[in-house]
């Protein structure tokens, strides 16, 4: 009886492995070139937190602000800069022409910790 259970488990694992090889493993996010990274402000959202407590850019910089949802469904609003990324719109180009500190909040109700999901953008 034990041999039958082991044979079944082994068969399932083999079929699973063949399926992964056939369909391919999930692809990790493509690496950005150094030029793309320099022109991008990437904001990564997980459950109830952003990846940084503060983001910094230089006044006069023109960047593409990108939101990546790592865990959960989130949005981002940079208050005072007319930036709101959510749903199908997860990137926006902006020129940071006014120095200051701008609140950055989650714009999609994401659960119990939603109200504490905050950061700041500092334009120097």
């Amino acid at each position: 009886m034990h041999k039958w259970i082991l044979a079944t488990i082994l068969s399932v694992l083999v079929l699973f492995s063949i399926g992964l090889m056939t369909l391919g493993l999930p692809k990790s996010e493509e690496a950005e070139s150094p030029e793309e990274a320099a022109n991008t402000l990437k904001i990564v959202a997980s459950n109830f937190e952003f990846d940084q407590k503060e983001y910094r850019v230089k006044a006069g910089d023109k960047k593409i602000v990108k939101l990546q949802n790592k865990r959960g469904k989130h949005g981002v609003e940079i208050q005072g800069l007319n930036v709101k990324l959510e749903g199908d719109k997860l990137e926006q180009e902006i020129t940071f022409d006014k120095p200051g500190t701008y609140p950055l909040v989650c714009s999609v109700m994401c659960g119990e910790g939603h109200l504490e999901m905050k950061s700041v953008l500092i334009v120097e």
Side-chain angles (χ1 to χ4, degrees):
M1 173 123 176
H2 293 290
K3 289 181 184 180
W4 182 83
I5 293 172
L6 284 173
T8 303
I9 291 172
L10 184 59
S11 297
V12 168
L13 288 174
V14 167
L15 290 173
F16 181 72
S17 298
I18 291 171
L20 282 177
M21 289 188 304
T22 303
L23 299 174
L25 294 171
K27 294 181 181 178
S28 62
E29 208 172 293
E30 290 184 27
E32 292 180 322
S33 71
E35 184 180 320
E36 288 174 313
N39 295 325
T40 302
L41 172 61
K42 185 175 179 183
I43 300 168
V44 180
S46 293
N47 284 337
F48 316 124
E49 66 182 3
F50 293 107
D51 64 324
Q52 297 180 37
K53 294 292 179 196
E54 66 181 35
Y55 300 87
R56 292 181 177 267
V57 296
K58 300 282 185 204
D61 281 358
K62 184 177 188 177
K63 294 195 178 273
I64 296 173
V65 180
K66 288 187 179 183
L67 173 64
Q68 177 190 355
N69 282 309
K70 190 171 183 179
R71 259 184 283 144
K73 185 174 181 180
H74 306 283
V76 66
E77 180 178 358
I78 304 174
Q79 298 172 338
L81 291 179
N82 197 29
V83 174
K84 190 169 186 177
L85 306 176
E86 58 186 44
D88 292 337
K89 181 186 174 194
L90 296 179
E91 62 181 64
Q92 177 179 336
E93 187 174 73
I94 183 171
T95 301
F96 297 97
D97 47 5
K98 268 181 84 175
T101 300
Y102 300 90
L104 190 145
V105 298
C106 180
S107 61
V108 173
M109 177 50 101
C110 56
E112 283 184 35
H114 172 73
L115 294 176
E116 287 78 41
M117 193 167 171
K118 299 177 184 176
S119 184
V120 294
L121 171 67
I122 300 170
V123 180
E124 304 174 304

